[in-house]
Amino acid sequence: MVSTLITVAPTGAEADKVAAPALPVTLDELVQTAKECEEAGAAVIHVHIRDAEARPTLDPSRLRDTVAALRENTGLIVQLSTGGAVTDPYEHRLKVLDAMPDACSLTCGTVNFGDDVFMNPWPFMAELYQLTQAKEVVPEFELFDLGHVAALHRLLDTYGAPYGGHVHCDLVMGVPGGMPGDARSLVAAVAALPEGATWSATGIGRTTLPVMYAALSAGGHLRVGMEDTLTYAKGQPVTSNAQLVERAVALTRIAQRAPMSPVEARSFLGVRGS
């Protein structure tokens, strides 16, 4: 049976703890969330962290402590975000890899992000990609638009295969300014990916379910979490990240594509030491 990689993105850099009390912003909350999500069926955790006032941060010591705590308490693959918040400078984003995660996100281009701009110019992307190779960190290529797929091809053509040898992408869909969160856009993006690449899909907000259904029908994998949606159904706030993982797991079982274990995911992605 073909299995499904489920990634949970529990926090993000945009959501407000006051508006979403279930959002994990402290290290203890994040570790507890990770344990619940692993038990529910997640294999990867995509991590943003917050400071003592619950503001987004890329503080190096907090990142190291977070990686250590997640490794100590779970078997999940720890994937740090190198995007941070849209205001984070490039040099701080590059230093994320000093925390030595198993994996990291690598966004393949600049995109309008609501009222802001998420900057990822080519020189930054190229430097970050080469750092992932040198530090033996598996990159997950974040693709917000079709032009990002072209940039991914350029990275691979210029600098070779990623650490681990396997190209895995995440299609982030439904961001205002990026590609729509619908089946037609998903199919177009998947058709343009490098040969042999695998992919997950993320639907932001109200596109969560359409993207999830389309991804499963097209042979893809899933990312869910409170970074991407705070509403479980119309008028029904998300109560926990595990709630979103449980729904994703239920759909994978209906599709006869049960969730991948963390051990299986390490081999699938080529994580160091697997």
Side-chain angles (χ1 to χ4, degrees), residues 14-15 21 34 42 44 60 73 76 90 94 103 150-151 194 243 247 251 253 255:
E14 284 77 41
V44 180
N73 289 279
L76 294 171
Y90 301 130
L94 292 170
Q243 181 188 34
R247 179 170 65 180
L251 292 178
R253 295 194 187 283

Side-chain angles (χ1 to χ4, degrees), residues 143-166:
L143 310 171
F144 287 78
D145 220 335
L146 278 175
H148 292 188
V149 183
L152 168 59
H153 281 275
R154 183 183 175 191
L155 272 180
L156 299 174
D157 290 345
T158 305
Y159 299 108
Y163 175 75
H166 179 68

Side-chain angles (χ1 to χ4, degrees), residues 19 29 35-36 46 49 89 94 101 104 128 137-138 155 164-165 178 188 191 199 225 228 247 255 268 270 272:
E29 288 173 343
K35 291 163 71 173
E36 293 169 359
H46 172 78
I49 63 170
L94 292 170
C104 71
L128 176 57
V137 174
V138 172
L155 272 180
W199 54 276
D228 304 318
R247 179 170 65 180
F268 173 70
R272 181 176 53 243

Side-chain angles (χ1 to χ4, degrees), residues 178-194:
M179 59 183 155
D182 56 34
R184 179 171 58 183
S185 300
L186 183 143
V187 168
V190 171
L193 293 177

Side-chain angles (χ1 to χ4, degrees), residues 11-17 23-26 48-57 62:
T11 307
E14 284 77 41
D16 179 30
K17 177 73 168 177
L23 193 75
V25 296
T26 68
H48 290 254
I49 63 170
R50 303 293 180 96
D51 65 15
E53 283 73 48
R55 297 171 302 197
T57 181
R62 284 180 178 269

Side-chain angles (χ1 to χ4, degrees), residues 128-148:
L128 176 57
Y129 185 49
Q130 292 173 89
L131 273 177
T132 66
Q133 293 170 316
K135 292 181 177 290
E136 299 185 346
V137 174
V138 172
E140 179 180 79
F141 301 99
E142 277 192 337
L143 310 171
F144 287 78
D145 220 335
L146 278 175
H148 292 188

